[in-house]
Amino acid sequence: TDSGNNLYRVVLIGETGVGKSTLTSIFAGLQNNLENWGVLGEDTYERTITVDGEGATLVVMDTWENKDEDNWKQNHCMLIGDAYLIVYSITDRASFEKASELRIQLRRTRQAEDIPIILVGNKCDLVRCREVSVAEGRSCAVVFDCKFIETSAAVQHNVQELFEGIVRQVRLRRDSK
Ligand code: GDP
Ligand code: MG
């Protein structure tokens, strides 16, 4: 990806059912018009947003679910992202544990790189079904060495902040080079 054009490939990974596709589509609908969107493929979208006064084009890839039997696509996902959103559901502890597996897999695949990652605890509207506390999410992110945010795609809480946040994480690394 050409960082000179502020084009960032953002890949969502996480257990099935945690809300990756819903988060992606909410982000896609924020401007209520699709003119700024280019559909690049079945699950890949491009949109330009302004963050802190500077434009950034996000290529958002919600391709994780389409598994090939040989896992080719998942390995590909691990290789192509400029940044990752590791998503779990706060109502599903197994998905939280899966997030740790994915973090380890990502670290193995991209060993020498300092990849921007946000750990995303989605479905925070479902307070009565919560299985993973905010404190657990936060301390997991410390271990992961990444940012943490809780979101709700259902009530559109922190979704825009999430995508702005990942742009800021990419820029922090860019600007420190
Ligand atoms: P994916 O498999 O990770 O892409 O998950 P989906 O986006 O398909 O979402 C799985 C289910 O969870 C769907 O029924 C969504 O409507 C629901 N869902 C997604 N995000 C939220 C959320 O923030 N809150 C609630 N209550 N439901 C959600
Ligand atoms: Mg999906």
Side-chain angles (χ1 to χ4, degrees):
T1 304
D2 183 356
S3 59
N5 288 334
N6 295 329
L7 181 76
Y8 309 130
R9 211 181 268 143
V10 178
V11 181
L12 289 94
I13 60 178
E15 192 63 89
T16 301
V18 297
K20 298 181 301 298
S21 298
T22 312
L23 284 167
T24 302
S25 65
I26 296 298
F27 177 69
L30 276 178
Q31 290 189 325
N32 287 326
N33 73 64
L34 291 174
E35 280 170 29
N36 290 339
W37 271 96
V39 178
L40 301 178
E42 211 181 328
D43 301 307
T44 301
Y45 308 90
E46 182 181 313
R47 184 184 161 197
T48 300
I49 58 172
T50 302
V51 181
D52 304 327
E54 188 183 347
T57 298
L58 298 187
V59 176
V60 177
M61 307 189 73
D62 177 34
T63 51
W64 186 248
E65 230 69 72
N66 307 322
K67 304 173 195 174
D68 287 344
E69 279 183 358
D70 62 0
N71 280 338
W72 179 86
K73 207 149 191 173
Q74 292 210 343
N75 288 330
H76 187 62
C77 280
M78 288 291 181
L79 286 168
I80 58 168
D82 296 311
Y84 288 85
L85 307 178
I86 303 182
V87 187
Y88 66 94
S89 166
I90 67 144
T91 66
D92 179 4
R93 180 160 292 278
S95 73
F96 183 59
E97 281 153 15
K98 178 70 180 181
S100 292
E101 276 177 42
L102 293 173
R103 175 65 184 108
I104 291 163
Q105 205 179 321
L106 197 52
R107 184 169 275 152
R108 267 199 212 115
T109 312
R110 309 280 291 270
Q111 276 176 7
E113 297 171 67
D114 178 23
I115 300 173
I117 298 170
I118 297 180
L119 177 65
V120 185
N122 189 43
K123 305 198 186 183
C124 70
D125 57 291
L126 298 175
V127 283
R128 296 177 66 185
C129 306
R130 182 185 282 275
E131 289 185 2
V132 183
S133 71
V134 177
E136 282 177 289
R138 214 175 265 141
S139 60
C140 186
V142 172
V143 174
F144 283 14
D145 190 23
C146 73
K147 284 284 174 184
F148 171 67
I149 192 169
E150 281 201 352
T151 58
S152 168
V155 301
Q156 303 194 17
H157 173 70
N158 270 350
V159 178
Q160 189 162 13
E161 288 79 356
L162 170 62
F163 286 93
E164 290 175 0
I166 200 66
V167 170
R168 291 195 180 98
Q169 287 308 303
V170 174
R171 285 181 184 162
L172 276 174
R173 286 161 179 79
R174 177 199 66 186
D175 294 342
S176 68
K177 272 174 197 162

